[in-house]
Amino acid sequence: MSTIHDLPEISNLDARRHLVRIPDQLDVPLTNRVQQIIDTAEFRRLAKITQLGLVSLVYPAAHHTRFEHSLGVYRIALLYLKQLAHDPRFAAAVQVRDAELMIVAALVHDLGHWPFCHAIEDMDLPGVPEHELFANSFLLEGDLADALRDGWGLLPREVVALLSEPPRDPVSKIAHSLLSGPIDVDKMDYLVRDSLHAGVPYGRNFDQQRLIGSLCLNRAGDGLAISDKGRTAAEMMVFARYVMFSEVYWHHAVRSATAMFQRAFYLLYHRLDLDSLFRQSEEDLIRTLLRAAGEGPAKELLDGLFGPVRRLYKRMTQFSLFEQRELYQQLARRPYPWLTTCAEEFAAVLSRHVGRRVAPTEVLFDAPPAKLEIEFQIDIHFRKEGVYRSLGDVSPVVQSLAREQFDDYVKRVRIFGHGRIAAELRDFRDWKEVLSETLQRMV
């Protein structure tokens, strides 16, 4: 094996041998050493964790799994490496063994995800690990670790370092850019896959082949860039991501379900064995939470999500940067415990305004978490001129949508209420007054 193109996984893209098919009519090449990884119990658990979790309560076909997504990301990584191997600087810097490490890392990049992972991580609660670090226990021992050593000649700690440690040299920076950057293999798959299964067109409205075909290295030679031929495709990918956040990931009903789940988890997590809980399948985790809830306040929240009848809380009011800017800024990116206390105080103030008791769990606040979405900034190589320019500098679309729109416009602050409260307060107009009084009490 002398070049990256000689890797059996990459050569099988064209030879079309030993394939498995995933939606949408995509053939994923499997070799014995890839099969050895995906057949382990550690990897198979991803088949019992849905990619979008609570989104399926709004988009009923969005039941695809992290297993399917991982195969899709692995396939995209092969396409990236196949294209980048034509770049002389990439071929000189990245050796065959480096490429193998990138392939494996792409395949197992989601290994540390547990059910409803992002909803839980966004709360940033003590004792809850980052999923990248949680993956280490699956990678460092057991059958998967043996598969890495025996099938690939890789040390499990090398994979761990690539996935969870800051890059320290040009090759690891290139790998990090491929796995977790503005046009990484993860986004390239999930935008299309989530859009497909949700039944919406938004995440598929960019030219994936054109974008992959334009890949090259940046000016410094330590990260991904694109040629000017991929500029329009990159702009469309930015817009696709923006619309997917607006219409799917931060759809108001999805966020209602998320707020309900987060409040229930917050009520229960201190009495749960989180390490054991996060190793469970989605169905088992739901059963564990329901058992822990008993007849307490978390039970009704969980029943509304996972019981025989879907009962999502209703949106009562919302704020964004361009709608009630001051209130939005006072609530966005606050610690989750503070936000919960604020919601409980709001329920008490509201009770006085409407002349009836509003229970603390009948009102939920949902706000953008502290962690911001990454900016979509990537170098474009204008070959005829021999210069690199930032995509944001040459694209008004990216300039206006990349960071500001994602975090300050798409991710709104919303107040949700139990169905019976929302129905009673349908004509209530003093939300701003009640919230202002609540915030004064929180000082």
Side-chain angles (χ1 to χ4, degrees), residues 26 28 43 65 142 145 152 184 198 237 259 366 415 420 430 435-436 439:
L26 298 176
V28 181
F43 197 92
T65 65
W152 295 81
D184 62 48
M237 183 178 178
D366 181 52
I415 298 177
R420 56 179 171 263
D430 297 332
L435 186 54
S436 296
L439 291 168

mmCIF file of all heavy atoms in Angstrom, residues 26 28 43 65 142 145 152 184 198 237 259 366 415 420 430 435-436 439:
data_model
loop_
_atom_site.group_PDB
_atom_site.id
_atom_site.type_symbol
_atom_site.label_atom_id
_atom_site.label_comp_id
_atom_site.label_asym_id
_atom_site.label_seq_id
_atom_site.Cartn_x
_atom_site.Cartn_y
_atom_site.Cartn_z
ATOM 1 N N LEU A 26 -27.321 5.455 -1.185
ATOM 2 C CA LEU A 26 -25.876 5.628 -1.085
ATOM 3 C C LEU A 26 -25.219 4.294 -0.759
ATOM 4 O O LEU A 26 -25.643 3.595 0.169
ATOM 5 C CB LEU A 26 -25.523 6.649 -0.002
ATOM 6 C CG LEU A 26 -26.050 8.080 -0.217
ATOM 7 C CD1 LEU A 26 -25.710 8.942 0.984
ATOM 8 C CD2 LEU A 26 -25.473 8.674 -1.489
ATOM 9 N N VAL A 28 -22.087 2.347 0.702
ATOM 10 C CA VAL A 28 -20.972 2.554 1.621
ATOM 11 C C VAL A 28 -20.055 1.334 1.545
ATOM 12 O O VAL A 28 -20.492 0.217 1.829
ATOM 13 C CB VAL A 28 -21.476 2.736 3.066
ATOM 14 C CG1 VAL A 28 -20.313 2.972 4.016
ATOM 15 C CG2 VAL A 28 -22.481 3.884 3.138
ATOM 16 N N PHE A 43 -20.197 -0.127 19.023
ATOM 17 C CA PHE A 43 -20.693 0.599 17.848
ATOM 18 C C PHE A 43 -22.155 0.277 17.581
ATOM 19 O O PHE A 43 -22.930 1.162 17.192
ATOM 20 C CB PHE A 43 -19.839 0.248 16.626
ATOM 21 C CG PHE A 43 -19.997 1.208 15.480
ATOM 22 C CD1 PHE A 43 -19.156 2.295 15.344
ATOM 23 C CD2 PHE A 43 -20.998 1.032 14.532
ATOM 24 C CE1 PHE A 43 -19.298 3.190 14.286
ATOM 25 C CE2 PHE A 43 -21.158 1.911 13.475
ATOM 26 C CZ PHE A 43 -20.301 2.998 13.351
ATOM 27 N N THR A 65 -30.903 6.734 12.776
ATOM 28 C CA THR A 65 -30.066 6.476 13.947
ATOM 29 C C THR A 65 -28.660 7.047 13.795
ATOM 30 O O THR A 65 -28.211 7.390 12.700
ATOM 31 C CB THR A 65 -29.943 4.968 14.187
ATOM 32 O OG1 THR A 65 -29.234 4.376 13.083
ATOM 33 C CG2 THR A 65 -31.312 4.318 14.348
ATOM 34 N N GLY A 142 -11.965 -3.190 25.499
ATOM 35 C CA GLY A 142 -13.028 -4.007 24.930
ATOM 36 C C GLY A 142 -12.774 -4.388 23.483
ATOM 37 O O GLY A 142 -11.684 -4.215 22.934
ATOM 38 N N ALA A 145 -11.483 -1.618 20.986
ATOM 39 C CA ALA A 145 -10.044 -1.346 21.120
ATOM 40 C C ALA A 145 -9.232 -2.444 20.437
ATOM 41 O O ALA A 145 -8.229 -2.166 19.763
ATOM 42 C CB ALA A 145 -9.667 -1.237 22.600
ATOM 43 N N TRP A 152 -6.382 -2.456 12.247
ATOM 44 C CA TRP A 152 -5.847 -1.218 11.676
ATOM 45 C C TRP A 152 -4.414 -0.911 12.096
ATOM 46 O O TRP A 152 -3.776 -0.006 11.531
ATOM 47 C CB TRP A 152 -6.741 -0.044 12.082
ATOM 48 C CG TRP A 152 -8.116 -0.123 11.505
ATOM 49 C CD1 TRP A 152 -9.162 -0.861 11.971
ATOM 50 C CD2 TRP A 152 -8.596 0.557 10.344
ATOM 51 N NE1 TRP A 152 -10.270 -0.691 11.180
ATOM 52 C CE2 TRP A 152 -9.960 0.182 10.178
ATOM 53 C CE3 TRP A 152 -8.029 1.452 9.435
ATOM 54 C CZ2 TRP A 152 -10.741 0.661 9.125
ATOM 55 C CZ3 TRP A 152 -8.804 1.937 8.401
ATOM 56 C CH2 TRP A 152 -10.139 1.544 8.246
ATOM 57 N N ASP A 184 -16.897 20.283 7.688
ATOM 58 C CA ASP A 184 -16.447 18.956 8.099
ATOM 59 C C ASP A 184 -17.362 17.852 7.576
ATOM 60 O O ASP A 184 -18.469 18.105 7.080
ATOM 61 C CB ASP A 184 -16.303 18.875 9.624
ATOM 62 C CG ASP A 184 -17.619 19.101 10.358
ATOM 63 O OD1 ASP A 184 -18.631 18.480 9.982
ATOM 64 O OD2 ASP A 184 -17.640 19.897 11.307
ATOM 65 N N ALA A 198 -36.499 14.081 7.797
ATOM 66 C CA ALA A 198 -37.540 14.986 8.287
ATOM 67 C C ALA A 198 -38.575 15.261 7.209
ATOM 68 O O ALA A 198 -39.682 15.727 7.503
ATOM 69 C CB ALA A 198 -36.918 16.289 8.779
ATOM 70 N N MET A 237 -24.492 25.872 1.294
ATOM 71 C CA MET A 237 -24.411 25.031 2.490
ATOM 72 C C MET A 237 -24.654 25.870 3.751
ATOM 73 O O MET A 237 -25.335 25.423 4.683
ATOM 74 C CB MET A 237 -23.050 24.347 2.574
ATOM 75 C CG MET A 237 -22.917 23.398 3.754
ATOM 76 S SD MET A 237 -21.309 22.559 3.782
ATOM 77 C CE MET A 237 -21.465 21.590 5.288
ATOM 78 N N ALA A 259 -37.578 21.597 26.004
ATOM 79 C CA ALA A 259 -37.727 22.245 27.304
ATOM 80 C C ALA A 259 -38.383 21.311 28.316
ATOM 81 O O ALA A 259 -37.997 21.276 29.498
ATOM 82 C CB ALA A 259 -38.545 23.524 27.154
ATOM 83 N N ASP A 366 -37.233 28.431 27.577
ATOM 84 C CA ASP A 366 -36.248 27.853 26.649
ATOM 85 C C ASP A 366 -35.442 29.001 26.053
ATOM 86 O O ASP A 366 -36.024 29.960 25.534
ATOM 87 C CB ASP A 366 -36.949 27.063 25.539
ATOM 88 C CG ASP A 366 -35.962 26.431 24.569
ATOM 89 O OD1 ASP A 366 -35.040 25.734 25.033
ATOM 90 O OD2 ASP A 366 -36.100 26.652 23.354
ATOM 91 N N ILE A 415 -41.213 31.097 25.958
ATOM 92 C CA ILE A 415 -41.881 30.692 27.199
ATOM 93 C C ILE A 415 -43.018 29.763 26.812
ATOM 94 O O ILE A 415 -43.904 30.129 26.020
ATOM 95 C CB ILE A 415 -42.414 31.910 27.976
ATOM 96 C CG1 ILE A 415 -41.243 32.822 28.374
ATOM 97 C CG2 ILE A 415 -43.184 31.453 29.212
ATOM 98 C CD1 ILE A 415 -41.678 34.094 29.093
ATOM 99 N N ARG A 420 -53.264 23.445 29.620
ATOM 100 C CA ARG A 420 -54.400 24.056 30.318
ATOM 101 C C ARG A 420 -54.114 25.520 30.669
ATOM 102 O O ARG A 420 -55.014 26.368 30.626
ATOM 103 C CB ARG A 420 -54.761 23.262 31.569
ATOM 104 C CG ARG A 420 -53.649 23.046 32.574
ATOM 105 C CD ARG A 420 -54.149 22.262 33.792
ATOM 106 N NE ARG A 420 -53.039 21.874 34.665
ATOM 107 C CZ ARG A 420 -52.455 20.685 34.635
ATOM 108 N NH1 ARG A 420 -52.874 19.762 33.773
ATOM 109 N NH2 ARG A 420 -51.455 20.401 35.454
ATOM 110 N N ASP A 430 -50.009 40.694 29.047
ATOM 111 C CA ASP A 430 -49.035 41.366 29.918
ATOM 112 C C ASP A 430 -47.774 40.547 30.163
ATOM 113 O O ASP A 430 -47.167 40.597 31.229
ATOM 114 C CB ASP A 430 -49.691 41.713 31.265
ATOM 115 C CG ASP A 430 -50.831 42.702 31.105
ATOM 116 O OD1 ASP A 430 -50.782 43.493 30.141
ATOM 117 O OD2 ASP A 430 -51.758 42.682 31.935
ATOM 118 N N LEU A 435 -42.683 39.353 32.966
ATOM 119 C CA LEU A 435 -41.275 38.969 32.842
ATOM 120 C C LEU A 435 -40.360 40.041 33.416
ATOM 121 O O LEU A 435 -39.362 39.728 34.082
ATOM 122 C CB LEU A 435 -40.936 38.698 31.377
ATOM 123 C CG LEU A 435 -39.543 38.138 31.095
ATOM 124 C CD1 LEU A 435 -39.280 36.875 31.904
ATOM 125 C CD2 LEU A 435 -39.378 37.852 29.607
ATOM 126 N N SER A 436 -40.685 41.297 33.196
ATOM 127 C CA SER A 436 -39.864 42.382 33.740
ATOM 128 C C SER A 436 -39.856 42.331 35.265
ATOM 129 O O SER A 436 -38.797 42.494 35.897
ATOM 130 C CB SER A 436 -40.389 43.736 33.251
ATOM 131 O OG SER A 436 -40.265 43.866 31.868
ATOM 132 N N LEU A 439 -37.651 39.388 36.357
ATOM 133 C CA LEU A 439 -36.211 39.662 36.227
ATOM 134 C C LEU A 439 -35.717 40.609 37.312
ATOM 135 O O LEU A 439 -34.566 40.490 37.771
ATOM 136 C CB LEU A 439 -35.911 40.221 34.836
ATOM 137 C CG LEU A 439 -36.076 39.226 33.681
ATOM 138 C CD1 LEU A 439 -36.037 39.921 32.333
ATOM 139 C CD2 LEU A 439 -35.007 38.140 33.761
#
